[in-house]
Amino acid sequence: CSLQAGLAVLLKAERLFHSSYHSQAVHIRPICRVISHWCAQLPCDGFTVCFSLVQDASCLALSWELRQTLTVVFDFFSSGQGKKDWSLFKMFSRTLTDTCPLASQSKVYVDISPKNKEKELLEVSPPPTSVHEAIVQGDRRTYAVYDLLSPSLFNTSRSLNVQLKWKRPQDSSEMPIPTLHAQRYVGGYGLQTGEICTLIYNTHPYRAFPVILLETVPWYLRLYVHTLSIITKGKENKPS
């Protein structure tokens, strides 16, 4: 569908590349292929039963899975608007007009998890088609789900502009600290004393999490692998 329908309609280049952060990725991996499919008619009642067998652990036949992701961060509060309210139109200068006919699944998820169970401080519009709950990094999160394949979603209007509004002004100091967050800075200068330092924090009171760190190195820095050092709670861990 390219930019004609579906979620890709929102991918307006001048809006994406002027955001606070954007990252594009392509993931390709081999997966085991379904090797056989057949149907048999039962002689007793005339029913037809179909079977599909998936390849065993030996995985003799392979297919390739392609997954493309786009991550974008918009920061309207620090950009001078002073509000945390947002909408699809504010971020992308476009709205969703239709689903892609080739898509078997097309959904928009909005995190509406309340910080205080007694005070629902935010609301989304239009009303979502469903609500989904999941455990993320040990915390229960609530998501408003907009299913673009649902016939009722585009009944009243041919345009879907998901909006989130706060019911009362919020102090920026009240924003919760993520369980996992990171900081990075460049220190020193030149090839002799230049260095990249990355600090990763886990604020969970007792739980540990696996972390995969992907570093994007500035073009003006040359890394020497033998100088890599990892320090945890003041103790140095020798990398393998």
Side-chain angles (χ1 to χ4, degrees):
C1 286
S2 186
L3 300 179
Q4 305 302 318
L7 297 177
V9 171
L10 302 177
L11 305 185
K12 190 177 181 180
E14 54 266 33
R15 299 293 294 177
L16 299 180
F17 297 148
H18 284 83
S19 60
S20 300
Y21 171 85
H22 71 273
S23 173
Q24 304 174 60
V26 175
H27 304 267
I28 302 176
R29 67 169 183 168
I31 59 175
C32 296
R33 184 184 305 171
V34 176
I35 58 173
S36 59
H37 179 84
W38 75 93
C39 297
Q41 186 173 8
L42 301 181
C44 56
D45 50 16
F47 286 166
T48 300
V49 180
C50 296
F51 300 90
S52 294
L53 288 185
V54 180
Q55 184 62 275
D56 57 9
S58 60
C59 202
L60 299 179
L62 290 178
S63 296
W64 292 95
E65 178 188 79
L66 169 65
R67 182 164 60 94
Q68 302 176 82
T69 62
L70 174 64
T71 303
V72 186
V73 176
F74 293 95
D75 190 350
F76 291 110
F77 191 84
S78 63
S79 63
Q81 297 184 16
K83 295 182 178 180
K84 298 177 184 178
D85 300 347
W86 59 263
S87 68
L88 292 182
F89 186 79
K90 283 184 178 180
M91 289 187 291
F92 302 103
S93 295
R94 293 177 178 177
T95 58
L96 295 173
T97 56
D98 201 359
T99 184
C100 180
L102 298 179
S104 59
Q105 185 177 186
S106 186
K107 297 180 180 180
V108 176
Y109 291 83
V110 180
D111 191 343
I112 56 173
S113 306
K115 292 181 295 181
N116 190 331
K117 295 296 184 182
E118 299 178 356
K119 297 181 180 179
E120 297 284 347
L121 298 179
L122 55 85
E123 59 182 359
V124 291
S125 61
T129 54
S130 63
V131 176
H132 175 72
E133 291 190 353
I135 303 296
V136 180
Q137 296 177 355
D139 296 330
R140 182 176 296 276
R141 311 299 295 180
T142 303
Y143 298 92
V145 182
Y146 295 88
D147 187 355
L148 270 63
L149 297 182
S150 175
S152 60
L153 195 59
F154 293 101
N155 274 351
T156 57
S157 173
R158 295 299 300 174
S159 175
L160 175 63
N161 183 28
V162 180
Q163 303 180 63
L164 184 143
K165 293 183 178 181
W166 294 84
K167 294 183 179 180
R168 63 179 178 85
Q170 286 292 292
D171 184 5
S172 59
S173 62
E174 295 183 5
M175 293 298 291
I177 299 177
T179 303
L180 293 178
H181 63 280
Q183 299 177 356
R184 187 178 71 160
Y185 61 88
V186 178
Y189 59 90
L191 296 178
Q192 296 298 324
T193 62
E195 63 181 9
I196 297 179
C197 296
T198 300
L199 307 178
I200 303 177
Y201 299 92
N202 176 14
T203 61
H204 199 279
Y206 59 88
R207 184 173 177 178
F209 299 96
V211 174
I212 298 178
L213 177 64
L214 174 64
E215 287 278 7
T216 303
V217 182
W219 63 269
Y220 53 83
L221 287 182
R222 178 177 297 177
L223 294 187
Y224 297 96
V225 179
H226 72 280
T227 65
L228 173 65
S229 61
I230 303 175
I231 300 176
T232 306
K233 295 183 179 179
K235 296 182 180 180
E236 183 175 358
N237 298 330
K238 294 294 182 180
S240 58

Tab-separated table of all heavy atoms in Angstrom, residues 36-91:
chain	number	residue	atom	x	y	z
A	36	SER	N	4.095	-29.652	5.156
A	36	SER	CA	3.058	-30.458	4.497
A	36	SER	C	1.671	-30.009	4.942
A	36	SER	O	1.474	-29.544	6.064
A	36	SER	CB	3.250	-31.944	4.806
A	36	SER	OG	3.193	-32.187	6.188
A	37	HIS	N	0.729	-30.164	4.038
A	37	HIS	CA	-0.665	-29.827	4.311
A	37	HIS	C	-1.539	-30.746	3.462
A	37	HIS	O	-1.350	-30.847	2.255
A	37	HIS	CB	-0.938	-28.361	3.958
A	37	HIS	CG	-2.369	-27.960	4.185
A	37	HIS	ND1	-2.849	-27.571	5.416
A	37	HIS	CD2	-3.426	-27.905	3.331
A	37	HIS	CE1	-4.133	-27.281	5.311
A	37	HIS	NE2	-4.508	-27.482	4.066
A	38	TRP	N	-2.449	-31.456	4.094
A	38	TRP	CA	-3.316	-32.342	3.339
A	38	TRP	C	-4.687	-32.423	4.000
A	38	TRP	O	-4.856	-32.076	5.154
A	38	TRP	CB	-2.691	-33.736	3.224
A	38	TRP	CG	-2.750	-34.549	4.481
A	38	TRP	CD1	-3.711	-35.437	4.846
A	38	TRP	CD2	-1.788	-34.555	5.539
A	38	TRP	NE1	-3.429	-35.998	6.067
A	38	TRP	CE2	-2.251	-35.471	6.513
A	38	TRP	CE3	-0.596	-33.877	5.776
A	38	TRP	CZ2	-1.547	-35.730	7.681
A	38	TRP	CZ3	0.093	-34.126	6.927
A	38	TRP	CH2	-0.388	-35.038	7.863
A	39	CYS	N	-5.649	-32.853	3.229
A	39	CYS	CA	-7.018	-33.003	3.713
A	39	CYS	C	-7.488	-34.438	3.481
A	39	CYS	O	-7.103	-35.072	2.485
A	39	CYS	CB	-7.968	-32.024	3.007
A	39	CYS	SG	-7.583	-30.286	3.301
A	40	ALA	N	-8.308	-34.944	4.387
A	40	ALA	CA	-8.854	-36.300	4.273
A	40	ALA	C	-10.338	-36.265	4.571
A	40	ALA	O	-10.789	-35.560	5.480
A	40	ALA	CB	-8.138	-37.252	5.238
A	41	GLN	N	-11.111	-37.030	3.780
A	41	GLN	CA	-12.559	-37.080	3.983
A	41	GLN	C	-12.902	-38.325	4.784
A	41	GLN	O	-12.511	-39.447	4.437
A	41	GLN	CB	-13.286	-37.107	2.639
A	41	GLN	CG	-14.802	-37.007	2.777
A	41	GLN	CD	-15.487	-36.871	1.438
A	41	GLN	OE1	-14.848	-37.007	0.404
A	41	GLN	NE2	-16.786	-36.606	1.472
A	42	LEU	N	-13.612	-38.107	5.877
A	42	LEU	CA	-13.986	-39.231	6.727
A	42	LEU	C	-15.136	-39.996	6.072
A	42	LEU	O	-16.154	-39.399	5.700
A	42	LEU	CB	-14.402	-38.732	8.115
A	42	LEU	CG	-13.336	-37.938	8.877
A	42	LEU	CD1	-13.852	-37.529	10.247
A	42	LEU	CD2	-12.067	-38.750	9.015
A	43	PRO	N	-15.004	-41.322	5.920
A	43	PRO	CA	-16.037	-42.094	5.208
A	43	PRO	C	-17.339	-42.207	5.971
A	43	PRO	O	-18.392	-42.400	5.386
A	43	PRO	CB	-15.378	-43.464	5.035
A	43	PRO	CG	-14.377	-43.544	6.146
A	43	PRO	CD	-13.871	-42.143	6.347
A	44	CYS	N	-17.303	-42.039	7.294
A	44	CYS	CA	-18.514	-42.293	8.069
A	44	CYS	C	-19.536	-41.165	7.937
A	44	CYS	O	-20.728	-41.417	7.797
A	44	CYS	CB	-18.161	-42.536	9.541
A	44	CYS	SG	-17.230	-41.178	10.279
A	45	ASP	N	-19.110	-39.923	7.987
A	45	ASP	CA	-20.069	-38.833	7.976
A	45	ASP	C	-19.808	-37.799	6.882
A	45	ASP	O	-20.523	-36.801	6.791
A	45	ASP	CB	-20.087	-38.125	9.347
A	45	ASP	CG	-18.689	-37.772	9.811
A	45	ASP	OD1	-17.770	-37.788	8.978
A	45	ASP	OD2	-18.510	-37.476	11.006
A	46	GLY	N	-18.813	-38.024	6.060
A	46	GLY	CA	-18.557	-37.131	4.945
A	46	GLY	C	-17.814	-35.857	5.302
A	46	GLY	O	-17.613	-34.992	4.447
A	47	PHE	N	-17.403	-35.716	6.580
A	47	PHE	CA	-16.648	-34.518	6.965
A	47	PHE	C	-15.237	-34.565	6.362
A	47	PHE	O	-14.658	-35.632	6.166
A	47	PHE	CB	-16.542	-34.411	8.489
A	47	PHE	CG	-17.831	-34.001	9.142
A	47	PHE	CD1	-18.009	-34.128	10.496
A	47	PHE	CD2	-18.869	-33.463	8.389
A	47	PHE	CE1	-19.201	-33.740	11.096
A	47	PHE	CE2	-20.045	-33.088	8.976
A	47	PHE	CZ	-20.226	-33.232	10.331
A	48	THR	N	-14.686	-33.390	6.075
A	48	THR	CA	-13.324	-33.279	5.585
A	48	THR	C	-12.463	-32.675	6.679
A	48	THR	O	-12.779	-31.625	7.241
A	48	THR	CB	-13.259	-32.400	4.325
A	48	THR	OG1	-14.081	-32.988	3.320
A	48	THR	CG2	-11.827	-32.279	3.821
A	49	VAL	N	-11.357	-33.339	6.988
A	49	VAL	CA	-10.436	-32.890	8.022
A	49	VAL	C	-9.106	-32.567	7.372
A	49	VAL	O	-8.599	-33.363	6.572
A	49	VAL	CB	-10.244	-33.962	9.117
A	49	VAL	CG1	-9.279	-33.474	10.183
A	49	VAL	CG2	-11.583	-34.326	9.730
A	50	CYS	N	-8.544	-31.396	7.690
A	50	CYS	CA	-7.274	-30.960	7.119
A	50	CYS	C	-6.222	-30.894	8.221
A	50	CYS	O	-6.508	-30.537	9.367
A	50	CYS	CB	-7.410	-29.584	6.455
A	50	CYS	SG	-8.532	-29.590	5.034
A	51	PHE	N	-4.997	-31.264	7.835
A	51	PHE	CA	-3.880	-31.280	8.771
A	51	PHE	C	-2.726	-30.467	8.197
A	51	PHE	O	-2.501	-30.438	6.985
A	51	PHE	CB	-3.405	-32.715	9.028
A	51	PHE	CG	-4.455	-33.608	9.618
A	51	PHE	CD1	-5.296	-34.339	8.796
A	51	PHE	CD2	-4.607	-33.713	10.989
A	51	PHE	CE1	-6.270	-35.168	9.320
A	51	PHE	CE2	-5.583	-34.532	11.519
A	51	PHE	CZ	-6.409	-35.269	10.694
A	52	SER	N	-1.988	-29.826	9.095
A	52	SER	CA	-0.753	-29.136	8.726
A	52	SER	C	0.331	-29.571	9.703
A	52	SER	O	0.108	-29.594	10.918
A	52	SER	CB	-0.915	-27.621	8.772
A	52	SER	OG	-1.819	-27.175	7.791
A	53	LEU	N	1.479	-29.932	9.185
A	53	LEU	CA	2.598	-30.333	10.014
A	53	LEU	C	3.707	-29.292	9.903
A	53	LEU	O	4.092	-28.896	8.811
A	53	LEU	CB	3.138	-31.700	9.584
A	53	LEU	CG	2.262	-32.913	9.913
A	53	LEU	CD1	2.980	-34.191	9.529
A	53	LEU	CD2	1.914	-32.945	11.393
A	54	VAL	N	4.203	-28.867	11.059
A	54	VAL	CA	5.311	-27.924	11.097
A	54	VAL	C	6.600	-28.716	11.228
A	54	VAL	O	6.642	-29.766	11.872
A	54	VAL	CB	5.149	-26.943	12.279
A	54	VAL	CG1	6.293	-25.952	12.343
A	54	VAL	CG2	3.827	-26.212	12.166
A	55	GLN	N	7.649	-28.190	10.621
A	55	GLN	CA	8.940	-28.871	10.645
A	55	GLN	C	9.406	-29.107	12.063
A	55	GLN	O	9.167	-28.291	12.962
A	55	GLN	CB	9.974	-28.017	9.899
A	55	GLN	CG	11.346	-28.664	9.770
A	55	GLN	CD	11.286	-29.936	8.971
A	55	GLN	OE1	10.990	-30.993	9.526
A	55	GLN	NE2	11.538	-29.870	7.695
A	56	ASP	N	10.065	-30.231	12.291
A	56	ASP	CA	10.535	-30.582	13.621
A	56	ASP	C	11.808	-29.801	13.947
A	56	ASP	O	12.196	-28.860	13.256
A	56	ASP	CB	10.776	-32.093	13.713
A	56	ASP	CG	11.758	-32.568	12.653
A	56	ASP	OD1	12.358	-31.697	11.976
A	56	ASP	OD2	11.939	-33.783	12.522
A	57	ALA	N	12.475	-30.217	15.014
A	57	ALA	CA	13.651	-29.480	15.478
A	57	ALA	C	14.775	-29.460	14.451
A	57	ALA	O	15.621	-28.566	14.476
A	57	ALA	CB	14.149	-30.087	16.793
A	58	SER	N	14.809	-30.439	13.568
A	58	SER	CA	15.866	-30.456	12.554
A	58	SER	C	15.724	-29.313	11.561
A	58	SER	O	16.700	-28.873	10.962
A	58	SER	CB	15.872	-31.799	11.818
A	58	SER	OG	14.625	-32.004	11.178
A	59	CYS	N	14.491	-28.848	11.345
A	59	CYS	CA	14.225	-27.657	10.537
A	59	CYS	C	14.902	-27.762	9.177
A	59	CYS	O	15.765	-26.953	8.810
A	59	CYS	CB	14.702	-26.413	11.281
A	59	CYS	SG	13.895	-24.893	10.742
A	60	LEU	N	14.503	-28.753	8.395
A	60	LEU	CA	15.135	-28.991	7.092
A	60	LEU	C	14.726	-27.949	6.051
A	60	LEU	O	15.510	-27.618	5.169
A	60	LEU	CB	14.777	-30.392	6.606
A	60	LEU	CG	15.231	-31.552	7.508
A	60	LEU	CD1	14.793	-32.888	6.929
A	60	LEU	CD2	16.743	-31.514	7.699
A	61	ALA	N	13.500	-27.447	6.136
A	61	ALA	CA	13.031	-26.456	5.169
A	61	ALA	C	12.899	-25.102	5.868
A	61	ALA	O	12.331	-24.998	6.948
A	61	ALA	CB	11.688	-26.873	4.577
A	62	LEU	N	13.459	-24.064	5.244
A	62	LEU	CA	13.491	-22.740	5.859
A	62	LEU	C	12.715	-21.720	5.040
A	62	LEU	O	12.655	-21.807	3.814
A	62	LEU	CB	14.936	-22.252	6.006
A	62	LEU	CG	15.825	-22.949	7.035
A	62	LEU	CD1	17.218	-22.352	7.002
A	62	LEU	CD2	15.239	-22.826	8.417
A	63	SER	N	12.128	-20.776	5.737
A	63	SER	CA	11.599	-19.562	5.132
A	63	SER	C	12.287	-18.380	5.795
A	63	SER	O	12.924	-18.524	6.836
A	63	SER	CB	10.078	-19.467	5.316
A	63	SER	OG	9.421	-20.500	4.641
A	64	TRP	N	12.139	-17.201	5.188
A	64	TRP	CA	12.777	-16.009	5.734
A	64	TRP	C	11.711	-15.023	6.203
A	64	TRP	O	10.773	-14.730	5.477
A	64	TRP	CB	13.682	-15.354	4.688
A	64	TRP	CG	14.865	-16.188	4.366
A	64	TRP	CD1	14.994	-17.082	3.332
A	64	TRP	CD2	16.082	-16.268	5.097
A	64	TRP	NE1	16.215	-17.691	3.373
A	64	TRP	CE2	16.912	-17.205	4.442
A	64	TRP	CE3	16.564	-15.622	6.232
A	64	TRP	CZ2	18.191	-17.516	4.905
A	64	TRP	CZ3	17.837	-15.937	6.681
A	64	TRP	CH2	18.632	-16.871	6.017
A	65	GLU	N	11.860	-14.538	7.409
A	65	GLU	CA	10.936	-13.563	7.992
A	65	GLU	C	11.570	-12.176	7.942
A	65	GLU	O	12.713	-11.989	8.376
A	65	GLU	CB	10.618	-13.932	9.439
A	65	GLU	CG	9.686	-12.931	10.123
A	65	GLU	CD	9.549	-13.217	11.608
A	65	GLU	OE1	10.463	-12.843	12.371
A	65	GLU	OE2	8.531	-13.827	11.996
A	66	LEU	N	10.840	-11.209	7.425
A	66	LEU	CA	11.293	-9.829	7.342
A	66	LEU	C	10.452	-8.975	8.285
A	66	LEU	O	9.227	-8.995	8.215
A	66	LEU	CB	11.163	-9.296	5.913
A	66	LEU	CG	11.348	-7.785	5.729
A	66	LEU	CD1	12.773	-7.379	6.074
A	66	LEU	CD2	11.004	-7.380	4.303
A	67	ARG	N	11.109	-8.233	9.164
A	67	ARG	CA	10.419	-7.359	10.105
A	67	ARG	C	11.060	-5.979	10.033
A	67	ARG	O	12.276	-5.842	10.207
A	67	ARG	CB	10.498	-7.907	11.533
A	67	ARG	CG	9.739	-7.059	12.553
A	67	ARG	CD	9.518	-7.841	13.849
A	67	ARG	NE	10.765	-8.240	14.456
A	67	ARG	CZ	11.389	-7.531	15.410
A	67	ARG	NH1	10.845	-6.418	15.849
A	67	ARG	NH2	12.516	-7.942	15.926
A	68	GLN	N	10.253	-4.975	9.764
A	68	GLN	CA	10.732	-3.604	9.666
A	68	GLN	C	10.128	-2.780	10.803
A	68	GLN	O	8.931	-2.871	11.069
A	68	GLN	CB	10.335	-2.990	8.316
A	68	GLN	CG	10.861	-3.777	7.128
A	68	GLN	CD	10.380	-3.193	5.810
A	68	GLN	OE1	10.955	-2.242	5.310
A	68	GLN	NE2	9.314	-3.766	5.261
A	69	THR	N	10.961	-1.998	11.466
A	69	THR	CA	10.493	-1.195	12.588
A	69	THR	C	10.941	0.248	12.408
A	69	THR	O	11.986	0.527	11.816
A	69	THR	CB	11.042	-1.721	13.929
A	69	THR	OG1	12.474	-1.635	13.919
A	69	THR	CG2	10.616	-3.160	14.160
A	70	LEU	N	10.120	1.153	12.919
A	70	LEU	CA	10.435	2.583	12.923
A	70	LEU	C	10.092	3.129	14.300
A	70	LEU	O	8.946	3.019	14.750
A	70	LEU	CB	9.646	3.328	11.847
A	70	LEU	CG	9.775	4.849	11.846
A	70	LEU	CD1	11.201	5.270	11.537
A	70	LEU	CD2	8.813	5.475	10.842
A	71	THR	N	11.087	3.688	14.982
A	71	THR	CA	10.901	4.253	16.312
A	71	THR	C	11.118	5.755	16.243
A	71	THR	O	12.151	6.213	15.741
A	71	THR	CB	11.900	3.632	17.313
A	71	THR	OG1	11.738	2.212	17.317
A	71	THR	CG2	11.653	4.164	18.711
A	72	VAL	N	10.135	6.520	16.725
A	72	VAL	CA	10.204	7.984	16.673
A	72	VAL	C	9.825	8.541	18.036
A	72	VAL	O	8.890	8.043	18.672
A	72	VAL	CB	9.263	8.556	15.588
A	72	VAL	CG1	9.456	10.065	15.461
A	72	VAL	CG2	9.491	7.876	14.256
A	73	VAL	N	10.551	9.560	18.485
A	73	VAL	CA	10.258	10.231	19.752
A	73	VAL	C	9.955	11.699	19.467
A	73	VAL	O	10.795	12.406	18.906
A	73	VAL	CB	11.437	10.116	20.734
A	73	VAL	CG1	11.127	10.911	22.010
A	73	VAL	CG2	11.712	8.663	21.076
A	74	PHE	N	8.746	12.129	19.852
A	74	PHE	CA	8.355	13.524	19.763
A	74	PHE	C	8.323	14.114	21.175
A	74	PHE	O	7.853	13.459	22.105
A	74	PHE	CB	6.970	13.677	19.117
A	74	PHE	CG	6.916	13.277	17.680
A	74	PHE	CD1	6.526	11.997	17.316
A	74	PHE	CD2	7.261	14.176	16.672
A	74	PHE	CE1	6.469	11.625	15.982
A	74	PHE	CE2	7.206	13.808	15.343
A	74	PHE	CZ	6.810	12.529	14.993
A	75	ASP	N	8.807	15.322	21.317
A	75	ASP	CA	8.809	15.989	22.619
A	75	ASP	C	8.168	17.357	22.457
A	75	ASP	O	8.836	18.355	22.211
A	75	ASP	CB	10.237	16.130	23.150
A	75	ASP	CG	10.264	16.587	24.605
A	75	ASP	OD1	9.196	16.965	25.114
A	75	ASP	OD2	11.336	16.552	25.219
A	76	PHE	N	6.842	17.405	22.582
A	76	PHE	CA	6.125	18.661	22.407
A	76	PHE	C	6.297	19.588	23.611
A	76	PHE	O	6.281	20.809	23.468
A	76	PHE	CB	4.631	18.390	22.182
A	76	PHE	CG	4.345	17.734	20.866
A	76	PHE	CD1	3.920	16.421	20.809
A	76	PHE	CD2	4.515	18.418	19.679
A	76	PHE	CE1	3.657	15.811	19.602
A	76	PHE	CE2	4.258	17.821	18.468
A	76	PHE	CZ	3.827	16.511	18.430
A	77	PHE	N	6.461	19.012	24.801
A	77	PHE	CA	6.542	19.847	26.002
A	77	PHE	C	7.779	20.736	25.976
A	77	PHE	O	7.711	21.937	26.231
A	77	PHE	CB	6.548	18.958	27.247
A	77	PHE	CG	6.375	19.725	28.518
A	77	PHE	CD1	5.116	20.073	28.975
A	77	PHE	CD2	7.475	20.101	29.266
A	77	PHE	CE1	4.948	20.790	30.144
A	77	PHE	CE2	7.314	20.818	30.438
A	77	PHE	CZ	6.051	21.167	30.882
A	78	SER	N	8.953	20.163	25.653
A	78	SER	CA	10.196	20.935	25.650
A	78	SER	C	10.372	21.765	24.387
A	78	SER	O	11.247	22.616	24.326
A	78	SER	CB	11.395	19.999	25.820
A	78	SER	OG	11.479	19.101	24.727
A	79	SER	N	9.548	21.522	23.369
A	79	SER	CA	9.691	22.264	22.121
A	79	SER	C	9.002	23.623	22.174
A	79	SER	O	9.003	24.352	21.187
A	79	SER	CB	9.128	21.448	20.952
A	79	SER	OG	7.740	21.227	21.112
A	80	GLY	N	8.390	23.962	23.312
A	80	GLY	CA	7.823	25.296	23.469
A	80	GLY	C	6.317	25.320	23.563
A	80	GLY	O	5.734	26.328	23.941
A	81	GLN	N	5.631	24.216	23.258
A	81	GLN	CA	4.175	24.218	23.345
A	81	GLN	C	3.696	24.133	24.791
A	81	GLN	O	2.599	24.575	25.110
A	81	GLN	CB	3.593	23.065	22.526
A	81	GLN	CG	3.899	23.168	21.041
A	81	GLN	CD	3.220	22.055	20.249
A	81	GLN	OE1	2.312	21.410	20.754
A	81	GLN	NE2	3.663	21.844	19.028
A	82	GLY	N	4.498	23.561	25.669
A	82	GLY	CA	4.173	23.531	27.083
A	82	GLY	C	3.032	22.617	27.462
A	82	GLY	O	2.497	22.724	28.558
A	83	LYS	N	2.618	21.733	26.571
A	83	LYS	CA	1.520	20.821	26.850
A	83	LYS	C	1.951	19.388	26.535
A	83	LYS	O	2.730	19.140	25.627
A	83	LYS	CB	0.280	21.166	26.021
A	83	LYS	CG	-0.345	22.517	26.355
A	83	LYS	CD	-1.592	22.740	25.520
A	83	LYS	CE	-2.256	24.062	25.870
A	83	LYS	NZ	-3.482	24.296	25.057
A	84	LYS	N	1.407	18.479	27.325
A	84	LYS	CA	1.671	17.065	27.078
A	84	LYS	C	0.591	16.417	26.223
A	84	LYS	O	0.699	15.250	25.883
A	84	LYS	CB	1.797	16.320	28.411
A	84	LYS	CG	2.951	16.813	29.278
A	84	LYS	CD	2.983	16.083	30.599
A	84	LYS	CE	4.068	16.629	31.495
A	84	LYS	NZ	4.083	15.969	32.816
A	85	ASP	N	-0.459	17.170	25.911
A	85	ASP	CA	-1.486	16.637	25.019
A	85	ASP	C	-0.883	16.387	23.642
A	85	ASP	O	-0.031	17.153	23.173
A	85	ASP	CB	-2.648	17.617	24.896
A	85	ASP	CG	-3.310	17.892	26.233
A	85	ASP	OD1	-3.035	17.140	27.190
A	85	ASP	OD2	-4.092	18.853	26.310
A	86	TRP	N	-1.339	15.328	22.984
A	86	TRP	CA	-0.824	15.030	21.651
A	86	TRP	C	-1.914	14.373	20.823
A	86	TRP	O	-2.931	13.919	21.334
A	86	TRP	CB	0.407	14.125	21.702
A	86	TRP	CG	0.175	12.793	22.375
A	86	TRP	CD1	0.455	12.472	23.660
A	86	TRP	CD2	-0.397	11.609	21.787
A	86	TRP	NE1	0.098	11.167	23.926
A	86	TRP	CE2	-0.424	10.618	22.781
A	86	TRP	CE3	-0.876	11.305	20.517
A	86	TRP	CZ2	-0.926	9.340	22.542
A	86	TRP	CZ3	-1.370	10.029	20.283
A	86	TRP	CH2	-1.396	9.061	21.284
A	87	SER	N	-1.694	14.344	19.534
A	87	SER	CA	-2.589	13.665	18.603
A	87	SER	C	-1.758	13.216	17.406
A	87	SER	O	-0.633	13.682	17.204
A	87	SER	CB	-3.730	14.588	18.149
A	87	SER	OG	-3.218	15.643	17.348
A	88	LEU	N	-2.334	12.319	16.633
A	88	LEU	CA	-1.633	11.873	15.424
A	88	LEU	C	-1.377	13.038	14.474
A	88	LEU	O	-0.323	13.131	13.851
A	88	LEU	CB	-2.456	10.784	14.714
A	88	LEU	CG	-2.582	9.443	15.434
A	88	LEU	CD1	-3.377	8.461	14.580
A	88	LEU	CD2	-1.208	8.855	15.755
A	89	PHE	N	-2.344	13.952	14.368
A	89	PHE	CA	-2.175	15.070	13.451
A	89	PHE	C	-1.072	16.017	13.927
A	89	PHE	O	-0.307	16.552	13.120
A	89	PHE	CB	-3.490	15.841	13.291
A	89	PHE	CG	-3.434	16.918	12.266
A	89	PHE	CD1	-3.532	16.613	10.920
A	89	PHE	CD2	-3.262	18.250	12.643
A	89	PHE	CE1	-3.460	17.609	9.953
A	89	PHE	CE2	-3.203	19.242	11.688
A	89	PHE	CZ	-3.297	18.928	10.340
A	90	LYS	N	-0.964	16.241	15.240
A	90	LYS	CA	0.091	17.100	15.755
A	90	LYS	C	1.472	16.506	15.473
A	90	LYS	O	2.421	17.239	15.186
A	90	LYS	CB	-0.082	17.309	17.261
A	90	LYS	CG	-1.173	18.290	17.644
A	90	LYS	CD	-1.183	18.497	19.140
A	90	LYS	CE	-2.238	19.518	19.543
A	90	LYS	NZ	-2.263	19.739	21.010
A	91	MET	N	1.591	15.203	15.567
A	91	MET	CA	2.895	14.571	15.394
A	91	MET	C	3.264	14.406	13.930
A	91	MET	O	4.405	14.658	13.530
A	91	MET	CB	2.907	13.211	16.101
A	91	MET	CG	2.905	13.310	17.611
A	91	MET	SD	3.135	11.718	18.421
A	91	MET	CE	1.593	10.910	18.038
